[in-house]
Amino acid sequence: MNTRNKYPPLDLVAPAMFTIVFIVTLIYSRFEPNVEDVDMNYVKTFAGHPGYVLVDARPEEQYEGKSPRHGIPGGHIPGAINFPIEDLKVIAPATALARAGIVKRNTIIIYCNTGVLSVRFADQLVRRFNFSPSRIKNYRGGITDWVKYDGNILLPEDHETGDEI
């Protein structure tokens, strides 16, 4: 019976694996759009001002007030326009973006329920439509962050709260 280990020693493999992962991460990060995450105060400060467009990237029924699931209310932040991420897959999405005011000269603040969908939307604006990453802002907390603070409202007033599901 062969007593030799059939795998290389860990002290040889670990540094090589670390180096490979580090290089891949470095390369990938150089091509990742550098979109800034913003908080609720940023949204409150700039949404509705000239040159800023607040975009709700969720499906229209959530924007209109339907709760997607327990704990997440339906409705939208006042002043937001609805441009579901799925609409980026339609024919002539660049025209639809322009009609909605989502143009390169504006600063675009994107949100969704938690920030995951809005990151994908931001990525599409930068990669497919050549928006400058410096003009795209991601409200990472989205609706779930917005409703944590007293005084923040969602429209329409009769939106589902997410508790009734």
Side-chain angles (χ1 to χ4, degrees):
M1 184 163 141
N2 187 355
T3 59
R4 291 180 51 174
N5 191 348
K6 63 180 179 179
Y7 300 106
L10 187 58
D11 60 339
L12 293 177
V13 174
M17 289 304 297
F18 175 79
T19 302
I20 291 169
V21 169
F22 178 77
I23 291 171
V24 168
T25 303
L26 184 64
I27 291 169
Y28 182 74
S29 68
R30 292 190 51 99
F31 296 106
E32 185 73 15
N34 190 16
V35 172
E36 179 183 2
D37 286 339
V38 297
D39 62 9
M40 180 213 42
N41 291 324
Y42 185 94
V43 174
K44 283 185 156 186
T45 300
F46 294 105
H49 283 79
Y52 289 83
V53 179
L54 180 60
V55 178
D56 185 322
R58 300 170 305 146
E60 183 178 6
E61 59 271 5
Q62 290 177 31
Y63 176 86
E64 293 294 339
K66 183 176 184 197
S67 172
R69 64 180 179 271
H70 178 71
I72 299 179
H76 59 273
I77 298 171
I81 63 165
N82 184 227
F83 199 101
I85 193 169
E86 292 301 315
D87 286 0
L88 293 177
K89 297 177 183 174
V90 300
I91 297 172
T95 303
L97 286 167
R99 274 194 223 124
I102 304 171
V103 294
K104 294 176 185 177
R105 71 178 174 275
N106 289 333
T107 297
I108 312 300
I109 308 167
I110 309 164
Y111 74 91
C112 59
N113 290 322
T114 61
V116 175
L117 193 65
S118 55
V119 167
R120 289 186 16 226
F121 193 103
D123 184 65
Q124 289 292 308
L125 289 180
V126 172
R127 290 181 192 272
R128 284 185 56 205
F129 301 100
N130 298 315
F131 279 69
S132 169
S134 66
R135 303 293 264 176
I136 309 296
K137 310 298 180 193
N138 178 44
Y139 178 19
R140 174 68 74 175
I143 290 293
T144 56
D145 182 64
W146 184 262
V147 298
K148 289 180 188 176
Y149 300 94
D150 291 336
N152 286 353
I153 63 169
L154 290 176
L155 298 176
E157 291 182 15
D158 64 345
H159 67 276
E160 293 177 2
T161 63
D163 297 330
E164 56 277 316
I165 294 177

